mmCIF file of all heavy atoms in Angstrom:
data_model
loop_
_atom_site.group_PDB
_atom_site.id
_atom_site.type_symbol
_atom_site.label_atom_id
_atom_site.label_comp_id
_atom_site.label_asym_id
_atom_site.label_seq_id
_atom_site.Cartn_x
_atom_site.Cartn_y
_atom_site.Cartn_z
ATOM 1 N N VAL A 63 -38.874 196.906 147.493
ATOM 2 C CA VAL A 63 -39.715 197.504 148.513
ATOM 3 C C VAL A 63 -38.949 197.575 149.842
ATOM 4 O O VAL A 63 -38.280 196.619 150.225
ATOM 5 C CB VAL A 63 -41.029 196.700 148.742
ATOM 6 C CG1 VAL A 63 -41.899 197.385 149.775
ATOM 7 C CG2 VAL A 63 -41.792 196.518 147.430
ATOM 8 N N ALA A 64 -39.093 198.724 150.512
ATOM 9 C CA ALA A 64 -38.547 198.865 151.883
ATOM 10 C C ALA A 64 -39.708 199.322 152.778
ATOM 11 O O ALA A 64 -40.395 200.292 152.462
ATOM 12 C CB ALA A 64 -37.428 199.906 151.901
ATOM 13 N N PHE A 65 -39.952 198.584 153.834
ATOM 14 C CA PHE A 65 -40.980 198.886 154.811
ATOM 15 C C PHE A 65 -40.339 199.537 156.011
ATOM 16 O O PHE A 65 -39.427 198.967 156.612
ATOM 17 C CB PHE A 65 -41.715 197.605 155.249
ATOM 18 C CG PHE A 65 -42.358 196.851 154.139
ATOM 19 C CD1 PHE A 65 -41.707 195.807 153.495
ATOM 20 C CD2 PHE A 65 -43.654 197.176 153.709
ATOM 21 C CE1 PHE A 65 -42.306 195.097 152.468
ATOM 22 C CE2 PHE A 65 -44.264 196.482 152.688
ATOM 23 C CZ PHE A 65 -43.591 195.422 152.062
ATOM 24 N N LEU A 66 -40.812 200.701 156.385
ATOM 25 C CA LEU A 66 -40.282 201.436 157.531
ATOM 26 C C LEU A 66 -41.383 201.519 158.603
ATOM 27 O O LEU A 66 -42.399 202.168 158.378
ATOM 28 C CB LEU A 66 -39.828 202.846 157.118
ATOM 29 C CG LEU A 66 -38.922 202.908 155.885
ATOM 30 C CD1 LEU A 66 -38.594 204.357 155.535
ATOM 31 C CD2 LEU A 66 -37.674 202.093 156.062
ATOM 32 N N TYR A 67 -41.172 200.844 159.697
ATOM 33 C CA TYR A 67 -42.165 200.773 160.768
ATOM 34 C C TYR A 67 -42.069 201.993 161.656
ATOM 35 O O TYR A 67 -41.076 202.175 162.350
ATOM 36 C CB TYR A 67 -41.996 199.470 161.563
ATOM 37 C CG TYR A 67 -42.353 198.251 160.780
ATOM 38 C CD1 TYR A 67 -41.478 197.699 159.843
ATOM 39 C CD2 TYR A 67 -43.586 197.641 160.949
ATOM 40 C CE1 TYR A 67 -41.812 196.589 159.109
ATOM 41 C CE2 TYR A 67 -43.934 196.524 160.239
ATOM 42 C CZ TYR A 67 -43.051 195.996 159.297
ATOM 43 O OH TYR A 67 -43.406 194.904 158.554
ATOM 44 N N MET A 68 -43.107 202.783 161.691
ATOM 45 C CA MET A 68 -43.127 204.042 162.442
ATOM 46 C C MET A 68 -43.639 203.861 163.864
ATOM 47 O O MET A 68 -43.406 204.710 164.723
ATOM 48 C CB MET A 68 -43.951 205.100 161.709
ATOM 49 C CG MET A 68 -43.491 205.337 160.274
ATOM 50 S SD MET A 68 -41.751 205.776 160.134
ATOM 51 C CE MET A 68 -41.737 207.354 160.931
ATOM 52 N N VAL A 69 -44.342 202.757 164.109
ATOM 53 C CA VAL A 69 -44.834 202.407 165.434
ATOM 54 C C VAL A 69 -44.497 200.942 165.683
ATOM 55 O O VAL A 69 -44.284 200.169 164.736
ATOM 56 C CB VAL A 69 -46.350 202.641 165.597
ATOM 57 C CG1 VAL A 69 -46.699 204.109 165.435
ATOM 58 C CG2 VAL A 69 -47.147 201.787 164.625
ATOM 59 N N ALA A 70 -44.463 200.550 166.936
ATOM 60 C CA ALA A 70 -44.214 199.152 167.259
ATOM 61 C C ALA A 70 -45.393 198.319 166.799
ATOM 62 O O ALA A 70 -46.537 198.623 167.130
ATOM 63 C CB ALA A 70 -44.010 199.006 168.757
ATOM 64 N N ARG A 71 -45.118 197.279 166.027
ATOM 65 C CA ARG A 71 -46.140 196.365 165.554
ATOM 66 C C ARG A 71 -45.488 195.157 164.876
ATOM 67 O O ARG A 71 -44.381 195.261 164.370
ATOM 68 C CB ARG A 71 -47.140 197.038 164.628
ATOM 69 C CG ARG A 71 -46.563 197.523 163.319
ATOM 70 C CD ARG A 71 -47.561 198.297 162.493
ATOM 71 N NE ARG A 71 -48.142 197.440 161.497
ATOM 72 C CZ ARG A 71 -48.455 197.843 160.274
ATOM 73 N NH1 ARG A 71 -48.270 199.108 159.927
ATOM 74 N NH2 ARG A 71 -48.974 197.034 159.408
ATOM 75 N N GLU A 72 -46.188 194.056 164.914
ATOM 76 C CA GLU A 72 -45.728 192.821 164.252
ATOM 77 C C GLU A 72 -44.303 192.438 164.668
ATOM 78 O O GLU A 72 -43.548 191.887 163.868
ATOM 79 C CB GLU A 72 -45.844 192.970 162.733
ATOM 80 C CG GLU A 72 -47.234 193.246 162.241
ATOM 81 C CD GLU A 72 -47.302 193.601 160.765
ATOM 82 O OE1 GLU A 72 -46.283 193.483 160.054
ATOM 83 O OE2 GLU A 72 -48.384 194.036 160.340
ATOM 84 N N GLY A 73 -43.925 192.742 165.888
ATOM 85 C CA GLY A 73 -42.592 192.413 166.383
ATOM 86 C C GLY A 73 -41.508 193.423 166.039
ATOM 87 O O GLY A 73 -40.369 193.269 166.446
ATOM 88 N N PHE A 74 -41.855 194.457 165.294
ATOM 89 C CA PHE A 74 -40.892 195.502 164.919
ATOM 90 C C PHE A 74 -40.964 196.652 165.909
ATOM 91 O O PHE A 74 -42.025 197.034 166.365
ATOM 92 C CB PHE A 74 -41.215 196.058 163.515
ATOM 93 C CG PHE A 74 -40.850 195.118 162.408
ATOM 94 C CD1 PHE A 74 -41.722 194.111 161.998
ATOM 95 C CD2 PHE A 74 -39.640 195.245 161.764
ATOM 96 C CE1 PHE A 74 -41.394 193.263 160.993
ATOM 97 C CE2 PHE A 74 -39.296 194.395 160.737
ATOM 98 C CZ PHE A 74 -40.169 193.386 160.338
ATOM 99 N N THR A 75 -39.784 197.186 166.250
ATOM 100 C CA THR A 75 -39.732 198.417 167.028
ATOM 101 C C THR A 75 -39.765 199.591 166.035
ATOM 102 O O THR A 75 -39.388 199.421 164.863
ATOM 103 C CB THR A 75 -38.456 198.488 167.895
ATOM 104 O OG1 THR A 75 -37.329 198.412 167.015
ATOM 105 C CG2 THR A 75 -38.388 197.370 168.875
ATOM 106 N N PRO A 76 -40.180 200.754 166.473
ATOM 107 C CA PRO A 76 -40.224 201.897 165.542
ATOM 108 C C PRO A 76 -38.805 202.280 165.067
ATOM 109 O O PRO A 76 -37.874 202.255 165.841
ATOM 110 C CB PRO A 76 -40.816 203.021 166.371
ATOM 111 C CG PRO A 76 -41.488 202.363 167.522
ATOM 112 C CD PRO A 76 -40.733 201.085 167.774
ATOM 113 N N ILE A 77 -38.732 202.619 163.814
ATOM 114 C CA ILE A 77 -37.458 203.085 163.255
ATOM 115 C C ILE A 77 -37.229 204.520 163.729
ATOM 116 O O ILE A 77 -38.173 205.309 163.756
ATOM 117 C CB ILE A 77 -37.457 202.974 161.719
ATOM 118 C CG1 ILE A 77 -36.083 203.305 161.151
ATOM 119 C CG2 ILE A 77 -38.560 203.852 161.102
ATOM 120 C CD1 ILE A 77 -35.944 202.986 159.658
ATOM 121 N N PRO A 78 -36.028 204.866 164.113
ATOM 122 C CA PRO A 78 -35.771 206.266 164.499
ATOM 123 C C PRO A 78 -35.995 207.202 163.303
ATOM 124 O O PRO A 78 -35.577 206.921 162.179
ATOM 125 C CB PRO A 78 -34.283 206.260 164.885
ATOM 126 C CG PRO A 78 -33.974 204.841 165.210
ATOM 127 C CD PRO A 78 -34.851 204.019 164.311
ATOM 128 N N HIS A 79 -36.675 208.305 163.535
ATOM 129 C CA HIS A 79 -36.968 209.266 162.473
ATOM 130 C C HIS A 79 -35.700 209.744 161.803
ATOM 131 O O HIS A 79 -35.699 210.015 160.593
ATOM 132 C CB HIS A 79 -37.750 210.448 163.025
ATOM 133 C CG HIS A 79 -39.189 210.118 163.336
ATOM 134 N ND1 HIS A 79 -40.137 211.063 163.444
ATOM 135 C CD2 HIS A 79 -39.817 208.935 163.534
ATOM 136 C CE1 HIS A 79 -41.309 210.501 163.694
ATOM 137 N NE2 HIS A 79 -41.131 209.207 163.780
ATOM 138 N N SER A 80 -34.607 209.848 162.524
ATOM 139 C CA SER A 80 -33.345 210.327 161.964
ATOM 140 C C SER A 80 -32.753 209.374 160.906
ATOM 141 O O SER A 80 -31.881 209.760 160.145
ATOM 142 C CB SER A 80 -32.326 210.562 163.061
ATOM 143 O OG SER A 80 -32.037 209.343 163.729
ATOM 144 N N GLU A 81 -33.256 208.137 160.865
ATOM 145 C CA GLU A 81 -32.751 207.143 159.915
ATOM 146 C C GLU A 81 -33.476 207.200 158.588
ATOM 147 O O GLU A 81 -33.109 206.490 157.647
ATOM 148 C CB GLU A 81 -32.902 205.736 160.508
ATOM 149 C CG GLU A 81 -32.026 205.472 161.708
ATOM 150 C CD GLU A 81 -30.550 205.396 161.333
ATOM 151 O OE1 GLU A 81 -30.197 204.813 160.287
ATOM 152 O OE2 GLU A 81 -29.742 205.989 162.076
#
Side-chain angles (χ1 to χ4, degrees):
V63 182
F65 301 94
L66 310 178
Y67 290 80
M68 305 305 293
V69 296
R71 65 185 262 217
E72 300 171 10
F74 286 85
T75 59
I77 187 170
H79 286 200
S80 62
E81 293 291 318

